[in-house]
């Protein structure tokens, strides 16, 4: 393998503002991570923006191959990120240093577009379009091509996944099952409402995909919740500013969560530690998917990072969430160099991890290698979407002639079962669902809001043909995807009933008040058009779809400054909302809940429990106590 060229002295332009300048060998320095989100202001905003016209038909798109609109000029360049173990060494983004302070927005939400934002779930960097360190991407020589043998006769093994969401850990816990308030000024104990316990079980496929079965989440007799437990934010090592604490999962009995270098399983109701799995280094990435026998997958570092050695994300592991143990740990090489993985998923009995060096896969049960990067390939697997099927986002060509291949692959062999080639010039795509197959992309950098989405593509995963293209302008819709690194990490959107359910941007609620609101609306995946269904958040609430529950949508409502949040179920046909939970409105509880933004935190709901967690541990602090987890439950 030839030696790589020297790394550039300055990072390239941020994706979203023109093509990145890519070195010839994979190199992925890390973005910086932000401080804890700001405290919400005492009063609501006075100048609400205008809302989208939800009744208009989607705008027709120009034909494929049309010239793309130029991007918005980039923000002021942030500090150059620190370099990794050695130039040319493929590596995961290290913890950031000197991240610019975040500006508060209304109700404690992130500040206006263009300002530094809190990073997204799974430990990712903030969505591109925000001020942040830029990242050189890998250049690939050769002409576009699949790089795989297409075998349309091979069937995908469907693995049953129950899923929902990722991240964060503690290591230290604080439980208050008695409801007493020993520290009312600085903790969220002592909720002011109580209610009855729901009898539903956690539902959803985890990938937001095909809808099967009946809704399982039922409204309790009383929907008022109380704080079940909290996990204080862990202290980062001296000299390290920020560390990803990616990964959180729900099983029938355990809420499991990553800490600085461990995963801890907590009792879902009491918060009591049931087990702790020690790791040599932090979790870099985690799949939201959990198998029927409670297995999941992570990527972690081989040692704790330091200011001089951020470490690479080379270790792929399967974790047994019931036993609190590792099943196996594997690594892969591209040529002679260890691969630093950006993402990991589970699909069809296979664990697959992607990177700018290519993708690798292993048998979920045994850890036997199924495929690994080939240095001779002119294409590489940047990432995978899992769940009911396994879908690869494969990049071909050099950066100025990039083409993405969306491939439904056989999870045992990697053979392509069906393929859709996106237009040249689309640099990144995220997998929203694998069955039905839906991907999101920012075509021509036209979203303009850092969300990573201007359009959704509904694809037939049996033939590879485009079913419909759904226009979702960034100024009208509030979904976000990190298509750069975490290929299946999207928020504010879910898929079921052959429809896409998406949150709109906040807008003026009308009338003489200054209140704001938003909606969840539905698109038909066959036609690409809105169905006319819409669920309103209510005055000064903001609604976000979380996942499917059979044919219904589970959504979280972020509250106004003086109330607690809500969880609702939206009927898939009538769009009637049923309140499943309403959180306490005391100031101490609101203060913690308001910091768990749905865009930049993990929110999971199942069996009458709501679990909200942050995604980074940081030495930045604005108060006496910070929490990485808060859990609510009805009685």
């Amino acid at each position: 393998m030839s030696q790589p060229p020297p790394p550039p002295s300055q990072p390239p332009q941020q994706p979203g503002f023109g093509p990145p300048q890519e070195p010839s060998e994979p190199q992925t320095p890390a973005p910086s991570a932000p401080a804890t989100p700001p405290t919400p202001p005492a009063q609501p905003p006075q100048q609400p923006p205008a809302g989208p016209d939800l009744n208009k038909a989607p705008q027709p798109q120009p034909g494929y191959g049309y010239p793309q609109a130029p991007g918005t000029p980039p923000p002021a360049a942030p500090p150059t990120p620190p370099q990794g173990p050695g130039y040319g060494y493929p590596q995961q983004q290290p913890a950031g240093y000197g991240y610019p302070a975040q500006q508060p927005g209304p109700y404690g939400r992130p500040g206006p577009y263009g300002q530094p934002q809190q990073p997204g779930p799974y430990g990712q960097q903030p969505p591109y379009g925000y001020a942040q360190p830029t990242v050189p991407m890998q250049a690939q020589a050769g002409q576009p091509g699949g790089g795989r043998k297409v075998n349309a006769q091979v069937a995908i093994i469907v693995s049953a996944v129950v899923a929902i969401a990722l991240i964060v850990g503690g290591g230290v816990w604080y439980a208050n099952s008695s409801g007493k308030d020993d520290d009312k000024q600085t903790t969220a104990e002592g909720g002011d409402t109580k209610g009855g316990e729901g009898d539903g079980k956690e539902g959803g496929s985890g990938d937001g995909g095909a809808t099967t079965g009946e809704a399982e989440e039922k409204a309790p007799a009383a929907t008022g919740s109380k704080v079940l437990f909290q996990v204080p934010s862990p202290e980062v090592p001296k000299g390290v500013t920020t560390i990803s604490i990616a990964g959180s999962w729900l099983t029938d009995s355990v809420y499991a969560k990553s800490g600085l270098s461990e995963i801890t399983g907590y009792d879902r109701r009491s918060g009591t530690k049931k087990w702790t799995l020690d790791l040599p280094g932090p979790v870099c990435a985690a799949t939201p998917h959990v198998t029927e026998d409670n297995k999941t997958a992570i990527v972690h570092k081989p040692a704790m990072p330091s200011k001089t050695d951020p470490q690479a994300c080379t270790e792929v592991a399967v974790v047994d969430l019931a036993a609190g143990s590792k099943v196996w740990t594997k690594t892969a090489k591209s040529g002679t160099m260890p691969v630093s993985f950006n993402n990991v998923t589970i699909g069809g009995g296979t664990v697959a991890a992607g990177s700018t060096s290519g993708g690798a896969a292993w048998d979920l049960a045994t850890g036997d290698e199924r495929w690994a990067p080939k240095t001779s390939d002119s294409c590489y697997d940047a990432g995978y979407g899992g769940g009911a099927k396994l879908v690869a986002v494969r990049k071909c060509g050099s950066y100025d002639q990039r083409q993405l291949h969306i491939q439904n692959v056989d999870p045992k062999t990697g053979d392509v079962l069906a393929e859709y080639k996106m237009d040249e010039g689309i640099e990144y795509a995220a997998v929203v669902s694998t069955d039905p197959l839906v991907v999101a992309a920012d075509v021509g950098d036209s979203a303009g809001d850092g969300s990573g989405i201007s359009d959704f593509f509904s694809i037939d995963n049996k033939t590879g043909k485009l079913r419909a293209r759904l226009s979702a302008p960034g100024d009208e819709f509030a979904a976000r995807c990190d298509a750069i690194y975490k290929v299946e990490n999207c928020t504010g959107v879910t898929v079921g009933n052959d429809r896409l359910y998406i949150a709109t941007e906040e807008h003026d609620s009308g009338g003489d008040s200054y209140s704001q609101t938003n909606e969840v609306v539905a698109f038909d995946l066959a036609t690409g058009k809105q169905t006319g269904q819409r669920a309103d958040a209510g005055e000064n609430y903001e609604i976000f779809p979380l996942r499917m529950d059979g044919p219904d949508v589970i959504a979280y409502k972020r509250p106004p400054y003086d109330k607690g949040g809500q969880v609702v179920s939206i009927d898939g046909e009538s769009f009637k909302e049923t309140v499943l939970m309403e959180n306490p409105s005391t100031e101490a509880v609101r203060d913690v809940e308001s910091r768990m933004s749905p865009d930049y935190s993990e929110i999971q709901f199942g069996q009458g429990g709501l679990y909200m967690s942050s995604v980074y541990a940081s030495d930045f602090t604005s108060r006496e106590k910070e929490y990485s987890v808060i859990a609510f439950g009805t009685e």
Side-chain angles (χ1 to χ4, degrees):
M1 180 175 180
S2 61
Q3 291 296 320
S9 59
Q10 295 295 329
Q13 278 293 39
Q14 176 67 26
F17 302 109
Q21 305 301 313
E22 306 182 22
S24 61
E25 289 294 327
Q27 197 171 20
T28 317
S32 299
T36 306
T39 305
Q43 297 298 328
Q46 299 301 312
Q47 296 297 331
D53 181 1
L54 299 176
N55 298 314
K56 73 178 183 180
Q59 295 299 312
Q61 296 296 317
Y64 293 114
Y66 68 95
Q68 307 296 342
T72 307
T80 303
Q83 296 301 315
Y87 96 145
Y89 183 85
Q91 54 188 296
Q92 178 73 12
Q93 49 270 34
Y97 305 97
Y99 187 85
Q102 178 183 0
Q103 299 300 316
Y107 301 43
R109 294 174 174 81
Y113 296 128
Q115 293 181 350
Q117 300 291 320
Q118 171 141 347
Y122 293 78
Q124 84 229 40
Q125 68 174 18
Y128 58 87
Y130 292 105
Q132 56 184 312
T134 54
V135 182
M137 304 297 289
Q138 179 193 29
Q140 293 290 329
Q143 297 302 316
R148 283 198 180 102
K149 177 183 177 181
V150 177
N151 184 357
Q153 302 299 319
V154 184
I156 289 185
I157 299 176
V158 179
S159 97
V161 266
V162 226
I164 225 156
L166 327 300
I167 224 141
V168 172
V172 187
W173 67 279
Y174 186 98
N176 182 16
S177 56
S178 65
K180 294 181 180 179
D181 186 2
D182 299 324
D183 195 2
K184 190 176 290 253
Q185 299 306 311
T186 57
T187 74
E189 267 68 51
D192 61 354
T193 58
K194 294 184 178 181
E197 185 175 10
D199 57 0
K201 294 183 179 181
E202 182 181 356
S205 67
D207 65 347
T211 302
T212 57
E214 299 295 326
E216 296 183 340
E217 302 292 350
K218 308 297 181 184
T223 57
S225 72
K226 68 176 183 179
V227 175
L228 299 177
F229 64 92
Q230 297 173 124
V231 178
S233 296
E235 294 184 7
V236 300
K238 186 177 180 180
V240 177
T241 303
T242 304
I243 290 180
S244 165
I245 45 178
S248 68
W249 307 265
L250 278 177
T251 73
D252 286 342
S253 60
V254 170
Y255 173 69
K257 184 169 184 51
S258 298
L260 292 184
S261 58
E262 64 187 10
I263 300 175
T264 302
Y266 300 93
D267 181 275
R268 287 181 57 142
R269 296 293 299 181
S270 69
T272 303
K273 287 184 181 180
K274 301 186 74 169
W275 51 260
T276 298
L277 172 62
D278 291 327
L279 301 170
V283 175
C284 309
T287 178
H289 303 300
V290 179
T291 64
E292 284 188 327
D293 60 349
N294 295 319
K295 304 295 194 304
T296 192
I298 62 172
V299 175
H300 67 84
K301 296 185 177 184
M304 288 298 293
S306 65
K307 190 171 184 179
T308 57
D309 186 1
Q311 298 290 327
C313 297
T314 55
E315 316 297 301
V316 178
V318 166
V319 175
D320 186 330
L321 296 172
S325 61
K326 267 191 185 183
V327 179
W328 52 256
T329 303
K330 300 292 180 180
T331 60
K333 290 185 177 180
S334 177
T336 60
M337 300 300 295
V339 176
S340 184
F341 292 103
N342 297 324
N343 54 77
V344 66
T345 194
I346 296 175
T350 290
V351 175
S355 75
T356 54
S357 300
W362 301 266
D363 181 274
L364 173 62
T366 66
D368 293 341
E369 184 179 284
R370 289 188 165 168
W371 63 83
K374 295 182 178 64
T375 55
S376 60
D377 282 353
S378 60
C379 304
Y380 67 97
D381 290 355
Y384 301 90
K389 298 183 182 298
L390 187 63
V391 172
V393 176
R394 192 162 176 82
K395 291 192 173 186
C396 296
S398 58
Y399 78 89
D400 57 346
Q401 291 181 317
R402 181 79 74 212
Q403 186 172 42
L404 301 184
H405 297 215
I406 309 301
Q407 299 178 332
N408 182 13
V409 301
D410 185 307
K412 284 188 173 180
T413 65
D415 289 342
V416 179
L417 304 175
E419 179 179 76
Y420 173 72
K421 296 180 181 180
M422 304 190 77
D423 291 345
E424 287 189 10
I426 298 177
E427 286 286 324
Y428 309 101
V431 179
V432 181
S433 166
T434 61
D435 186 21
L437 178 53
V438 180
V439 299
D442 185 0
V443 179
D445 303 324
S446 59
D449 63 347
S451 66
I453 306 172
S454 66
D455 297 83
F456 293 92
F457 296 79
S458 173
I459 300 166
D460 188 314
N461 55 24
K462 293 182 179 179
T463 66
K465 294 182 178 179
L466 182 69
R467 299 176 65 200
R469 181 172 171 178
L470 292 62
S471 176
D475 60 347
E476 295 183 17
F477 296 95
R480 293 181 178 278
C481 293
D482 176 13
I484 299 177
Y485 293 115
K486 316 298 181 184
V487 165
E488 64 175 355
N489 175 29
C490 296
T491 61
V493 62
T494 191
V495 173
N497 305 319
D498 207 35
R499 294 168 185 163
L500 181 140
Y501 302 96
I502 184 171
T504 68
E505 289 284 3
E506 278 194 296
H507 56 84
D508 188 343
S509 60
D512 296 330
S513 70
Y514 289 101
S515 62
Q516 292 184 290
T517 190
N518 79 321
E519 298 80 25
V520 170
V521 299
F523 283 83
D524 188 309
L525 292 176
T527 65
K529 297 180 179 180
Q530 288 191 34
T531 65
Q533 297 165 306
R534 117 181 187 175
D536 295 316
E539 187 172 337
N540 282 330
Y541 283 88
E542 187 176 7
I543 189 169
F544 296 83
L546 299 178
R547 63 172 175 87
M548 299 302 297
D549 176 28
D552 298 342
V553 179
I554 301 297
Y556 172 72
K557 287 188 177 183
R558 194 169 194 199
Y561 68 97
D562 58 348
K563 295 182 180 179
Q566 295 181 350
V567 177
V568 299
S569 177
I570 304 170
D571 185 279
E573 291 301 324
S574 68
F575 256 47
K576 178 183 177 181
E577 296 180 42
T578 300
V579 176
L580 302 178
M581 175 182 288
E582 185 162 12
N583 293 335
S585 60
T586 56
E587 183 178 356
V589 177
R590 295 196 323 263
D591 187 57
V592 179
E593 183 179 4
S594 67
R595 291 173 176 264
M596 303 296 183
S597 163
D599 280 332
Y600 307 114
S601 303
E602 292 182 340
I603 301 178
Q604 304 184 55
F605 179 84
Q607 299 181 21
L610 175 67
Y611 304 84
M612 309 178 74
S613 59
S614 57
V615 297
Y616 275 87
S618 173
D619 67 353
F620 293 116
T621 181
S622 60
R623 58 216 287 125
E624 184 177 345
K625 287 189 178 181
E626 300 285 346
Y627 294 93
S628 60
V629 177
I630 185 168
F632 299 93
T634 54
E635 292 189 15

